[in-house]
């Protein structure tokens, strides 16, 4: 296991960046399309439910101190069965890395450089991410600590500059969606991005102290930012425009004018997008590499990180090019698929942990 330590503050920033890394740009349009003016409530509801799920992960981690989710699988379920579940988690991390890589490629090819092959964007980013994964979690945490203030400052400035385009009437009528429909619409957001955060349980053993506060506060802050961008998007673009846009935040910045002579400032949001994508992909990629090393007892991460570039890049290219089909898959399956890794397996592991502990105590009592 890597001899590394990250602080509670660094873990908080990693959690924040992982939560909103891609959802900040992708989720607002779909949320607004499903719940109209009530869209800003969806992240708040989904985030609240996600915090309850995080308590499950923290309980599992507390019952197995010093172990990652992959190591917990092996310890609690034994090598054959536990190894299988550990392999499922590794596949989930690799798949998440593939999704994030494809999100970057789609964005760059659609809006920024349409004539460039999408695989070029994938390989350029994955090479840097691979190097970061080889250097270790401390390096990734320091990069996150260095870049996050810049990203958040840019987002706050964008919030303030959009006030000139703000129209309150676009937010009405509000509170028209019934509670049950609100819960149904929040399930996709629970699946992505919140359930994906189970990946962060690979990093819990490396946190010096404050795993609980770092994880909970990071997801809570990500929830507030996601709800805020949905609220701003409705007030600036309106429900109709926002719900028909894949990247509504990019449109907002693209149409933003500062004074009479400064326009086309969308390059700033492209930089923010690249930074967030990079930080989230670094975390998912590193967790996949770490999981493989722990499962197969590989000491040198380089032998795993370099070949993994081909697998992640291949997965990213193989995903469907049809945006409509991707949206439909997301609506129907992302919650159930993510629940298997975010709720199903952790509940099984926690029950087996309690069973093994009670069994060992009963044996000690007999002795």
């Amino acid at each position: 296991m890597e001899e590394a330590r990250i602080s509670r503050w660094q873990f908080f920033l990693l959690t924040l960046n992982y939560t909103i890394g891609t959802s900040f740009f992708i989720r607002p349009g779909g949320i607004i399309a499903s719940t109209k003016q009530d869209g800003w409530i969806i992240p708040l509801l989904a985030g609240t439910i996600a915090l309850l799920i995080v308590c499950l992960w923290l309980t599992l981690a507390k019952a197995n101190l010093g172990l990652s989710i992959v190591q917990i699988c092996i310890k609690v379920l034994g090598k054959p069965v536990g190894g299988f579940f550990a392999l499922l988690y590794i596949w989930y991390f690799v798949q998440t890395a593939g999704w994030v890589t494809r999100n970057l490629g789609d964005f760059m090819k659609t809006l920024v450089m349409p004539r460039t092959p999408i695989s070029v964007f994938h390989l350029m980013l994955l090479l840097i991410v691979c190097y970061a994964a080889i250097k270790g979690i401390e390096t990734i945490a320091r990069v996150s600590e260095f870049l996050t203030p810049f990203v958040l400052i840019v987002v706050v400035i964008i919030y303030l500059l959009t006030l000139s385009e703000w129209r309150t009437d676009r937010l009405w009528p509000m509170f028209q969606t019934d509670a049950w429909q609100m819960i149904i619409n929040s399930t996709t957001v629970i699946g992505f991005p919140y359930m994906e955060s189970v990946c962060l349980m690979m990093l819990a053993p490396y946190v010096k102290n404050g795993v609980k506060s770092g994880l909970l506060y990071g997801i809570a802050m990500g929830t507030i930012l996601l709800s805020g961008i949905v609220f701003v998007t409705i007030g600036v673009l309106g429900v109709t425009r926002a719900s028909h846009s894949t990247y509504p935040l990019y449109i907002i910045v693209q149409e933003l004018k500062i004074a009479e002579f400064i326009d086309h400032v969308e390059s700033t949001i492209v930089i923010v997008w690249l930074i967030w994508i990079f930080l989230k992909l670094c975390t998912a990629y590193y967790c996949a590499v770490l999981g493989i090393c722990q499962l197969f007892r590989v000491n040198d991460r380089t032998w795993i990180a370099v070949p993994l570039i081909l697998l992640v890049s291949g997965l990213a290219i193989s995903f469907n090019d049809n945006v409509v089909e991707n949206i439909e898959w997301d609506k129907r399956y992302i919650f159930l698929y993510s629940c298997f890794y975010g709720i199903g397996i952790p509940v099984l592991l926690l029950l087996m942990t309690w069973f093994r502990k009670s069994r060992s105590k009963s044996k000690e009592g007999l002795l």
Side-chain angles (χ1 to χ4, degrees):
M1 181 170 158
E2 180 184 359
E3 293 295 331
R5 286 292 180 266
I6 59 177
S7 66
R8 174 171 52 186
W9 171 248
Q10 290 173 327
F11 188 56
F12 162 78
L13 293 179
L14 286 172
T15 303
L16 172 63
N17 291 319
Y18 193 86
T19 303
I20 61 178
T22 49
S23 60
F24 199 75
F25 294 82
I26 295 175
R27 271 293 176 220
I31 291 173
I32 296 170
S34 63
T35 47
K36 312 301 182 190
Q37 284 84 355
D38 295 331
W40 60 275
I41 304 175
I42 293 295
L44 298 178
L45 178 60
T48 302
I49 297 172
L51 290 175
L52 297 177
I53 298 171
V54 168
C55 292
L56 167 67
W57 304 344
L58 292 171
T59 304
L60 178 63
K62 187 177 180 180
N64 299 273
L65 287 175
L67 298 179
S68 69
I69 190 72
V70 165
Q71 292 172 323
I72 293 173
C73 289
I74 299 171
K75 175 191 172 183
V76 174
L77 300 176
K79 288 185 179 179
V81 179
F84 172 73
F85 281 99
L87 201 59
L88 287 179
Y89 268 119
I90 292 169
W91 167 249
Y92 185 57
F93 303 153
V94 171
Q95 197 172 39
T96 301
W99 282 332
V100 175
T101 304
R102 183 53 185 261
N103 289 334
L104 168 77
D106 287 341
F107 176 79
M108 296 296 291
K109 187 169 179 63
T110 302
L111 299 176
V112 183
M113 302 171 70
R115 295 185 179 180
T116 304
I118 195 171
S119 58
V120 173
F121 302 117
H122 296 170
L123 292 175
M124 287 177 63
L125 184 64
L126 284 171
L127 286 172
I128 304 173
V129 168
C130 174
Y131 178 74
I134 293 171
K135 298 303 289 184
I137 188 59
E138 286 186 350
T139 301
I140 297 172
R142 290 194 192 105
V143 171
S144 174
E145 194 173 18
F146 176 75
L147 293 177
T148 302
F150 165 77
V151 172
L152 294 180
I153 288 171
V154 171
V155 170
V156 170
I157 291 173
I158 290 173
Y159 277 165
L160 296 176
L161 293 176
T162 54
L163 292 177
S164 60
E165 304 294 329
W166 180 272
R167 283 179 54 185
T168 309
D169 60 286
R170 290 176 177 145
L171 295 169
W172 301 102
M174 200 180 289
F175 305 115
Q176 298 295 305
T177 309
D178 61 82
W180 177 247
Q181 189 61 41
M182 196 78 73
I183 294 173
I184 295 298
N185 291 332
S186 68
T187 55
T188 55
V189 183
I190 295 171
F192 161 67
Y194 292 112
M195 212 74 77
E196 288 182 355
S197 300
V198 71
C199 177
L200 297 167
M201 297 311 297
M202 290 294 298
L203 308 181
Y206 300 113
V207 183
K208 293 177 183 177
N209 51 55
V211 173
K212 179 179 179 181
S213 58
L215 193 59
L216 291 175
Y217 290 154
I219 289 180
M221 180 59 71
T223 297
I224 294 171
L225 287 174
L226 185 56
S227 177
I229 193 58
V230 173
F231 190 78
V232 168
T233 302
I234 296 172
V236 175
L237 293 182
V239 168
T240 303
R241 285 194 69 193
S243 60
H244 289 84
S245 301
T246 307
Y247 308 106
L249 182 58
Y250 182 83
I251 294 176
I252 291 175
V253 180
Q254 190 177 39
E255 297 178 355
L256 190 63
K257 290 187 178 181
I258 305 172
E260 295 295 330
F261 55 91
I262 302 177
D263 55 7
H264 297 292
V265 293
E266 61 269 16
S267 58
T268 57
I269 208 64
V270 173
I271 296 173
V272 170
W273 170 257
L274 288 175
I275 291 174
W276 260 331
I277 284 267
F278 169 73
L279 293 176
K280 180 169 183 176
L281 183 56
C282 272
T283 305
Y285 195 93
Y286 173 80
C287 290
V289 171
L290 179 63
I292 295 172
C293 290
Q294 290 177 347
L295 179 60
F296 297 103
R297 298 182 180 180
V298 179
N299 294 322
D300 190 353
R301 291 190 301 274
T302 306
W303 298 105
I304 305 300
V306 174
L308 197 62
I309 292 176
L310 300 177
L311 178 58
V312 174
S313 179
L315 278 174
I317 294 174
S318 66
F319 292 141
N320 203 324
D321 290 330
N322 192 319
V323 177
V324 176
E325 289 187 13
N326 287 334
I327 292 173
E328 284 300 315
W329 189 93
D330 181 72
K331 288 181 179 179
R332 293 182 182 181
Y333 305 115
I334 191 63
F335 176 70
L336 294 175
Y337 182 70
S338 299
C339 271
F340 177 70
Y341 298 97
I343 299 177
I345 300 179
V347 167
L348 173 64
L349 293 175
L350 187 58
L351 291 175
M352 289 301 297
T353 300
W354 289 341
F355 174 75
R356 288 170 66 95
K357 286 186 176 182
S358 63
R359 187 177 177 183
S360 62
K361 286 181 179 180
S362 63
K363 286 183 177 180
E364 289 176 2
L366 291 174
L367 295 175

